[in-house]
Amino acid sequence: MSVTTSPHATVATGPPRTPRAHWRHRLAERGVDGQLWLLAPAVLFVVLLFLYPFFYGLGLSFQPTKGGPFSDYARFFGDAYQRGTIWTTLGLALPAALLNVLASVPIAYRMRGRFRGKRLVTILLVVPITLGTVLTAQGLLNFLGPTGWFNRVLMALHLTDEPVRLVHNYWGVFFSLIITGFPFAFLLVLSYLSGIDPTLERAAATLGAGWWQRFRTVTLPLLMPGLATTFCLTFVLAFSVFPSAVLVGNPAGETRVISIAAYQAAYEQYDYPYASAIAMVMGAIELVIISVVLLARTRLYTGSSGGKG
Amino acid sequence: MTGTTPGFSQLRLDGVSRRFGSQDALAGLDLTIRTGEFIALLGPSGCGKSTALNCLAGLLPLTAGSIWQDERRVDTLPPERRGFGMVFQNYALFPHMSVRANVAFGLRMRRLPRDEIRRRTAEAIRLVRLEEHAGKLPGQLSGGQQQRVAIARAVVLEPSLVLMDEPLSNLDAKLRLEMRTEIRRLHQSLGLTTVYVTHDQEEALSLADRLVVLRAGRVQQIGSPQTLHTRPANWHVADFMGYRNLWPMRAVSPQGALVAVEADGFRLVGDPMGDVAPGDAVMAGVRPEDVRVGEPGEAATNTMPAEIEVVEYQGRELAAEARTATGIRVHLRTDRRVAPGDAVALSIDPERLLVFPSDSDEAPSAPLADPAGARLAEPGLVG
Ligand SMILES: Nc1ncnc2c1ncn2[C@@H]1O[C@H](COP(=O)(O)OP(=O)(O)OP(=O)(O)O)[C@@H](O)[C@H]1O
Ligand SMILES: [Mg+2]
């Protein structure tokens, strides 16, 4: 800044004369204060249950039973059968996560206000969370299986002559991922939506915006960061799919996901370093997808009234 | 004016009511707004002012009544089809849009040509003096600046009716006065029909052509600023319009057009506002500036000895509180240098002491509505 003639301007802006703030003020400015101790349990938890096993596995993955430190990684990527599990898993997890998020938005949008029976609907939508994967798989087999109700109804209506195959293949796992992932996505989106001030849409209405314009220009942009976060969470849940891939999928073929490859390495071949290497690859892929989404998210508005995104 | 919104010659509210559960937030509001008129909706907190605005804007469904724009019924239209602008009590600025984008929003929704949007947006931003902040997000503005954005966003459309919900409540005193003039100027230059909500009687008096005083969802009085100032319809309105002295008394006897009232052996003569029969409980009200301070010992009608208790310095005048010998507390304003403990004689012009029936809040009767505006000479409620 150039030197001005105004005396108080030089006092206010001249760096040499500005006394340094007390160290407590400077720490407080960076959020360092007594409340930091509230983080202690979480830090302990993360160190014990996440960081330690992670670094243990990372170390293990570089100590293969034979060959150099990277030979297990080379083995995984060199084997088309193993390498293909990445695409199989992404092919399940990305569409499932996307569908979960996209389907949650209109339902949560409709349900964000207060109305009669809201609690009942919420409970109904959330029940699958309490079921667990195995029970869901059981239900899917009963309902969508070759002799299940769904096919019996289709055949009774003569819509099809032979049962439609919806389990023990890609679709069985996909449905299972929707059933278990949707409630999470829905609850998250609903809470993000309730964080958006409803008068904003009213203001848009008085300015001549119809419901679709209100949604597109006001609510959706404010919801986007929350949707990105929700997508990441449901993607991670779907990416580590294991029980349903075995129970309602085709674990030897089209739903041989990456966690099955890791399981086989660890508990069928007892090759822990190789299993660790596969787990590390799995983590790296998740990290790449999440980074891409979160990077895109930083370009969005994430301030106040934008849900809690 | 570009004439993007259909104008009207009058907007008629017919028994507009809104209930929340068992509570009447607004009960039977009848009002006819002529084009170009500036109406102030006035009343204490929770009296239903915002409810009335929301009903007008279409943001709250009515539980009874109808709204007519000339011969067209509009209360069944959604807000986006009414074309009324609104300034919200909490601004409701779009947090993810810059000031410029906020102001341009309504123009964009109308799909106006880009040049016109740019020109009118810039003009509106200049009008509220926010040129330097046009690129900022609302979160980076002070409360007062946000309020001005909200005003600009509503008036840039030149709507057929602007609804303003306490638009100046967060400004400092100086800016408030400036913006008040600005709003009045906007109203005059654009010919904007305005319904303006405030709980500040001074603001309402200075801005509005007509005032509507609400209490507990019910209209207490509709009239010109002069009417409300000098002839409040009942003691609740008087209370709201600056009659700080309101004493519960009892009517004694009529004295010509006036009436004598009494409390604790203390007798005054005042102007009856409505049916006051001897023996009735009444409220006698007078503004602090209508209480005259004289030397002790003066004897005339409506003169009472009193002692000054509290004095507040208010620039050219003093605001003081005195207590009469019979224990009544009197608020007064005077340019005499009185001090606590001084013995004085207070006197009130009988014309300025208004005598209201005590129960007049229960059933405000028909003559309360004053469509003609300034009927200065006529008492509000003479039955
Ligand atoms: N959504 C609602 N549900 C229930 N009661 C409500 C609702 N909105 C308003 N009310 C009630 O209706 C009455 C009128 O409210 P309103 O917001 O119109 O008051 P106001 O005159 O604007 O007050 P203020 O000056 O404080 O803004 C209040 O008693 C309030 O409690
Ligand atoms: Mg209000």
Side-chain angles (χ1 to χ4, degrees), chain B residues 49-51 89 165-166 197:
Chain B
K49 306 181 296 286
S50 297
T51 304
Q89 195 163 7
D165 199 346
E166 310 207 20
V197 161

Side-chain angles (χ1 to χ4, degrees), chain B residues 195-375:
Chain B
V195 177
Y196 185 98
V197 161
T198 174
H199 56 240
D200 179 345
Q201 53 115 356
E202 203 189 313
E203 200 169 285
L205 288 172
S206 66
L207 281 172
D209 301 321
R210 239 166 8 126
L211 275 63
V212 178
V213 181
L214 290 173
R215 194 176 81 87
R218 278 159 217 287
V219 173
Q220 303 295 301
Q221 189 171 10
I222 300 179
S224 69
Q226 294 92 322
T227 314
L228 269 90
H229 194 75
T230 52
R231 296 273 160 199
N234 61 43
W235 71 266
H236 295 288
V237 178
D239 190 16
F240 208 74
M241 299 306 299
Y243 287 74
R244 274 193 84 190
N245 299 300
L246 278 170
W247 305 305
M249 300 181 99
R250 192 157 291 282
V252 186
S253 59
Q255 295 196 353
L258 302 179
V259 64
V261 291
E262 183 185 70
D264 304 326
F266 161 72
R267 199 179 240 267
L268 291 171
V269 175
D271 193 352
M273 300 278 113
D275 277 327
V276 177
D280 281 357
V282 296
M283 278 288 196
V286 68
R287 295 172 175 281
E289 52 270 38
D290 290 333
V291 177
R292 233 183 21 252
V293 180
E295 293 302 325
E298 265 180 38
T301 39
N302 283 358
T303 299
M304 47 201 163
E307 187 187 305
I308 302 286
E309 284 196 330
V310 183
V311 176
E312 265 174 52
Y313 177 71
Q314 296 196 335
R316 201 178 287 185
E317 278 184 326
L318 294 176
E321 203 179 289
R323 193 183 286 275
T324 65
T326 53
I328 291 180
R329 194 172 300 165
V330 185
H331 298 279
L332 57 95
R333 293 178 73 89
T334 176
D335 49 9
R336 284 169 66 119
R337 300 284 109 179
V338 291
D342 286 359
V344 290
L346 304 179
S347 58
I348 302 164
D349 182 347
E351 300 284 332
R352 296 290 170 89
L353 183 75
L354 307 185
V355 177
F356 302 98
S358 260
D359 54 56
S360 61
D361 62 307
E362 298 306 329
S365 49
L368 283 182
D370 177 7
R375 288 194 291 178

Side-chain angles (χ1 to χ4, degrees), chain A residues 114, chain B residues 18-21 23-26 42-54 60 89 165-166 197-199 214 216-217:
Chain A
R114 283 185 302 166
Chain B
R18 171 70 208 193
R19 291 174 78 86
F20 290 111
Q23 185 201 2
D24 273 318
L26 188 66
L42 189 63
S45 183
C47 70
K49 306 181 296 286
S50 297
T51 304
L53 273 204
N54 285 323
L60 261 184
Q89 195 163 7
D165 199 346
E166 310 207 20
V197 161
T198 174
H199 56 240
L214 290 173

Side-chain angles (χ1 to χ4, degrees), chain B residues 88 238 341:
Chain B
F88 287 81

